[in-house]
Amino acid sequence: MTLNASGEGVKASTGSVRERADVVIVGGGPAGLSAAVSLGRARRRVVVVDAGRPRNMTAAHMHGVLGHDGLSPLRLLELGRAEAARYGVRLVRGEVRAARVDRGEIEVDAVGGTFRARRLLVATGLDDELPSIPGMREQWGKGVIVCPYCDGWEHRMDVIGVIATSPRSVDQAQLLRQWSDRVVYFSNVVGTPSADEVVALARRGIRVEPGRVTGIHSDGDRATAVAVDGRTVAVGVVFTGPTLRPRDALLRSLGAATTNGTTGSWVDIDDDGRTSVPGVWAVGNVVDPRSNVPVSLGLGSLVAGALNADLVADDIASALANPAI
Ligand SMILES: Cc1cc2nc3c(=O)[nH]c(=O)nc-3n(C[C@H](O)[C@H](O)[C@H](O)COP(=O)(O)OP(=O)(O)OC[C@H]3O[C@@H](n4cnc5c(N)ncnc54)[C@H](O)[C@@H]3O)c2cc1C
């Protein structure tokens, strides 16, 4: 299905038709669309295949994005699709299920067709795996959030509850103390602080609520209280630290090299976004958990420049090998 700028399907795809492009981009979030606009403006034939589920889709507003403060994340992508379409980028709604390297090119299977390209750019983002606490999933992106730089300012007058998901959650509580002087740390069994940490939390006025968190109470789009071992503690918002799951199955299936770090296993890229698989590049949250919206926009542009230079190098090699052309 082809999309118009609003992300609505406008034409059914013809099934197994094979299309050629210079670059197929999988993922039309901030990283993928930013790269698409740059490559389209560089007069490359670009196809973006996007499943339409950006990480921040449950948030009504976006912050920390210069010039777009408070804009809806979905509206940003709508604007991005319109800009990309203006430069000839083809936008396809669908999920890419498989890709393979074939005679120096990449073939990508998406719902409705196969695309063949000189380069593949994967910008599929990541999934936030939340602790299984009743009420948390429903409030995700509204009364339960993750990023102080994105939403801390809006909650500076609130009681901020921090629900631990690991021993490192103590750091999240200490960080949030920068935004509010009323922080409650729910150790939730998995995040019991050490003796030194208890002292440091107390010195900064952060209250510790021990015990297992059993639910989040809410009032529409706001978290109002945290239930812990039969008690109910009033809060204005909840922050937590989900387990980050990069959507990198495609990259792994192609054999991309990975490295284990403190936040799990991530696909390796060089400074330009190249993976270890020739012709396969990656950008945004799929390879970097720190890639918030402005960083994803910036890196999308950076990677597009490097990718285009790589294609130009190929074009030069082809011209030298085929003097008649
Ligand atoms: C609740 C919440 C609020 C946030 N608020 C802010 C904020 O205010 N400011 C800020 O800077 N950052 C914010 N962020 C972070 C922000 O969401 C990410 O930094 C950003 O979305 C990363 O962009 P991306 O392009 O890498 O991935 P995404 O935006 O996740 O886009 C990836 C796209 O790829 C698609 N995709 C995945 N797999 C496939 C496949 N196999 N085939 C086709 N398409 C596929 C997805 O459906 C999605 O559309 C927030 C995050 C969360 C969780």
Side-chain angles (χ1 to χ4, degrees):
M1 185 181 286
T2 301
L3 299 186
N4 65 17
S6 304
E8 297 152 346
V10 294
K11 193 178 83 181
S13 169
T14 47
S16 60
V17 174
R18 179 168 295 180
E19 294 188 30
R20 294 188 67 85
D22 291 314
V23 185
V24 168
I25 300 176
V26 183
L33 284 177
S34 171
V37 168
S38 286
L39 287 164
R41 286 177 53 78
R43 306 186 65 196
R44 293 295 178 188
R45 289 168 303 163
V46 180
V47 175
V48 178
V49 187
D50 181 43
R53 290 191 303 277
R55 182 182 177 198
N56 54 357
M57 66 186 294
T58 59
H61 306 284
M62 215 176 42
H63 298 284
V65 186
L66 194 66
H68 296 294
D69 192 38
L71 189 73
S72 127
L74 296 181
R75 175 70 183 141
L76 179 81
L77 299 185
E78 192 179 320
L79 293 169
R81 284 193 294 269
E83 284 174 25
R86 211 177 294 153
Y87 299 109
V89 172
R90 177 149 138 63
L91 302 161
V92 178
R93 170 59 55 86
E95 183 133 3
V96 169
R97 289 161 174 179
R100 64 203 148 266
V101 178
D102 176 45
R103 285 165 285 152
E105 293 196 322
I106 321 285
E107 270 195 354
V108 169
D109 295 334
V111 173
T114 298
F115 301 92
R116 194 173 172 95
R118 298 167 68 190
R119 301 288 184 276
L120 169 66
L121 175 59
V122 175
T124 42
L126 64 76
D127 286 317
D128 294 283
E129 190 178 293
L130 297 171
S132 59
I133 295 171
M136 186 166 265
R137 170 59 57 193
E138 295 82 345
Q139 279 295 309
W140 180 236
K142 303 170 205 156
V144 178
I145 46 188
V146 59
C147 161
Y149 300 96
C150 306
D151 300 297
W153 171 267
E154 284 64 39
H155 295 288
R156 65 197 182 283
M157 310 305 280
D158 286 336
V159 175
I160 294 180
V162 176
I163 297 182
T165 51
S166 80
R168 290 174 46 228
S169 297
V170 168
D171 300 338
Q172 191 181 25
Q174 286 285 14
L175 180 64
L176 279 155
R177 175 63 183 80
Q178 171 61 24
W179 277 267
S180 169
D181 56 8
R182 295 185 296 159
V183 175
V184 183
Y185 177 68
F186 295 90
S187 59
N188 192 26
V189 186
V190 292
T192 305
S194 68
D196 287 350
E197 286 169 340
V198 167
V199 172
L201 289 165
R203 289 275 165 87
R204 299 191 76 219
I206 299 171
R207 202 169 96 222
V208 178
E209 284 285 349
R212 185 178 299 281
V213 172
T214 54
I216 313 277
H217 297 284
S218 59
D219 167 13
D221 284 349
R222 282 176 58 86
T224 53
V226 174
V228 53
D229 279 354
R231 309 186 301 284
T232 302
V233 180
V235 297
V237 67
V238 167
F239 279 74
T240 195
T243 303
L244 307 178
R245 303 278 184 216
R247 300 180 191 128
D248 57 10
L250 210 55
L251 292 167
R252 287 175 188 263
S253 75
L254 289 165
T258 58
T259 299
N260 285 321
T262 50
T263 55
S265 167
W266 295 83
V267 167
D268 299 334
I269 50 165
D270 71 8
D271 288 347
D272 289 335
R274 274 186 198 83
T275 70
S276 62
V277 183
V280 179
W281 302 55
V283 67
N285 266 172
V286 67
V287 283
D288 183 359
R290 298 162 309 171
S291 200
N292 64 9
V293 172
V295 173
S296 295
L297 294 172
L299 288 175
S301 164
L302 182 145
V303 168
L307 224 162
N308 186 49
D310 194 46
L311 288 167
V312 168
D314 254 18
D315 295 339
I316 295 169
S318 298
L320 291 173
N322 301 289
I325 297 174

